[in-house]
């Protein structure tokens, strides 16, 4: 396995616990207890996935996530002791791929990490080929084989989750996809009625595509039904 997992948490017991479980699964774990040291490591080393606590000394998890998304595409999982939906939405909007609320079961964290790494590998691999590997919809181009997306020739950097959402919608362009279907297809988990994860990621995608808030050109909301990319 040997993927490099970054764990950043100012609670030493939590970081040490995750290190034990992840090391037992064959991962290489790099721990930090403050945000600045973690960000310096990210800029100098190879990271396959980061687990970031929100509340950190020096530089909080949200700030690290924002900086990471300026240059890197590896998956980011946020750890938070807060339960407010807005905190979760904030992390997802900044480019996080998943969030886990403390206290947590370390086995769940390991499972979530494996899921994110499988998705990241799948969409960055030439082996993930299907019958059609590219869509060009009115200037929006997305290529599954190269994991690249562009709008009118300008590169649009997407996280693995964002790419998966956009690819799923493009595959089904012309039809409406419900939030439930989209969540269960992309996150491979059961959808809950109060889950705002899809909405937060759609908002982030629209921001990257420079979509007008009232009349989006690509990802349309069909109220009460779901989302659609029109032909």
């Amino acid at each position: 396995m040997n993927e490099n997992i970054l764990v950043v948490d100012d609670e030493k017991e939590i970081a040490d616990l995750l290190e034990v479980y992840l090391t037992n699964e064959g991962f290489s774990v790099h721990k930090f207890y403050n945000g600045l040291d973690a960000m310096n490591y990210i800029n100098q080393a190879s990271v396959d996935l980061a687990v970031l606590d929100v509340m950190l000394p020096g530089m909080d998890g949200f700030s690290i996530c924002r900086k990471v998304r300026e240059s890197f595409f590896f998956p980011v999982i946020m750890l938070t002791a807060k339960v407010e939906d807005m905190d979760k939405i904030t992390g997802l909007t900044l480019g996080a791929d998943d969030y886990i609320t403390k206290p947590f079961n370390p086995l769940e964290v390991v499972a979530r990490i494996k899921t994110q790494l499988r998705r990241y590998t799948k969409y960055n691999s030439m082996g993930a080929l299907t019958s059609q590997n590219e869509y060009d919809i009115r200037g929006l181009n997305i290529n599954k084989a190269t994991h690249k997306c562009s709008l009118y020739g300008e590169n649009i950097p997407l996280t693995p989750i964002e790419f998966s959402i956009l690819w799923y919608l493009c595959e089904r362009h012309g039809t409406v996809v419900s939030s439930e279907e989209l969540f269960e297809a992309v996150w491979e988990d059961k959808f809950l009625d109060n889950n705002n994860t899809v909405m937060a990621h759609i908002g982030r995608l629209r921001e990257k595509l420079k979509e007008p808030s009232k009349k989006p050109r690509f990802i349309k909301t069909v109220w009460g039904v779901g989302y659609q990319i029109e032909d």
Side-chain angles (χ1 to χ4, degrees), residues 152-216:
Y152 308 133
E154 179 183 350
N155 182 55
I156 306 295
L158 300 179
T159 68
I161 286 286
E162 292 165 352
F163 188 93
S164 299
I165 292 171
L166 189 57
W167 179 261
Y168 195 86
L169 291 174
C170 286
E171 273 190 316
R172 291 152 183 78
H173 60 92
T175 63
V176 181
V177 178
S178 68
S179 294
E180 179 179 1
E181 176 186 346
L182 193 55
F183 182 87
E184 293 184 355
V186 173
W187 278 267
E188 301 175 359
D189 201 357
K190 187 66 178 175
F191 179 81
L192 301 176
D193 289 339
N194 62 349
N195 196 323
N196 293 312
T197 303
V198 171
M199 181 180 66
H201 278 85
I202 291 290
R204 178 68 172 171
L205 269 171
R206 284 173 170 162
E207 180 182 330
K208 289 188 174 183
L209 295 173
K210 299 180 174 63
E211 292 267 57
S213 57
K214 293 185 177 180
K215 289 187 176 182

Side-chain angles (χ1 to χ4, degrees), residues 59-199:
M59 187 178 190
D60 64 44
F62 289 148
S63 298
I64 295 174
C65 185
R66 185 185 296 110
K67 292 294 292 182
V68 164
R69 285 297 171 245
E70 291 177 2
S71 306
F72 304 100
F73 304 117
F74 58 76
V76 173
I77 297 177
M78 305 296 297
L79 296 180
T80 175
K82 300 180 178 180
V83 296
E84 292 87 350
D85 283 343
M86 188 52 63
D87 292 305
K88 299 173 183 177
I89 292 173
T90 297
L92 295 171
T93 301
L94 291 172
D97 298 281
D98 200 359
Y99 61 84
I100 298 173
T101 303
K102 298 178 181 179
F104 54 76
N105 183 332
L107 292 175
E108 178 187 358
V109 179
V110 172
R112 298 269 195 104
I113 286 173
K114 289 181 176 179
T115 296
Q116 291 298 332
L117 287 172
R118 281 198 304 270
R119 182 178 295 115
Y120 182 62
T121 301
K122 176 181 177 182
Y123 288 104
N124 282 278
S125 171
M126 289 297 292
L129 301 178
T130 60
S131 57
Q132 182 167 343
N133 294 302
E134 185 174 8
Y135 289 95
D136 196 326
I137 302 173
R138 292 176 281 112
L140 173 63
N141 182 277
I142 185 169
N143 188 302
K144 191 173 184 180
T146 62
H147 197 269
K148 289 184 178 179
C149 176
S150 64
L151 180 61
Y152 308 133
E154 179 183 350
N155 182 55
I156 306 295
L158 300 179
T159 68
I161 286 286
E162 292 165 352
F163 188 93
S164 299
I165 292 171
L166 189 57
W167 179 261
Y168 195 86
L169 291 174
C170 286
E171 273 190 316
R172 291 152 183 78
H173 60 92
T175 63
V176 181
V177 178
S178 68
S179 294
E180 179 179 1
E181 176 186 346
L182 193 55
F183 182 87
E184 293 184 355
V186 173
W187 278 267
E188 301 175 359
D189 201 357
K190 187 66 178 175
F191 179 81
L192 301 176
D193 289 339
N194 62 349
N195 196 323
N196 293 312
T197 303
V198 171
M199 181 180 66

Side-chain angles (χ1 to χ4, degrees), residues 16-41:
D16 291 347
L17 179 66
L18 289 177
E19 180 183 33
V20 169
Y21 276 83
L22 291 169
T23 300
N24 286 340
E25 292 293 327
F27 294 109
S28 296
V29 180
H30 306 273
K31 292 183 303 181
F32 293 93
Y33 306 120
N34 70 79
L36 290 176
D37 287 346
M39 197 67 236
N40 288 335
Y41 178 82

Side-chain angles (χ1 to χ4, degrees), residues 212-223:
S213 57
K214 293 185 177 180
K215 289 187 176 182
R217 295 161 295 176
F218 295 102
I219 305 176
K220 306 289 183 69
T221 298
V222 181
W223 295 108

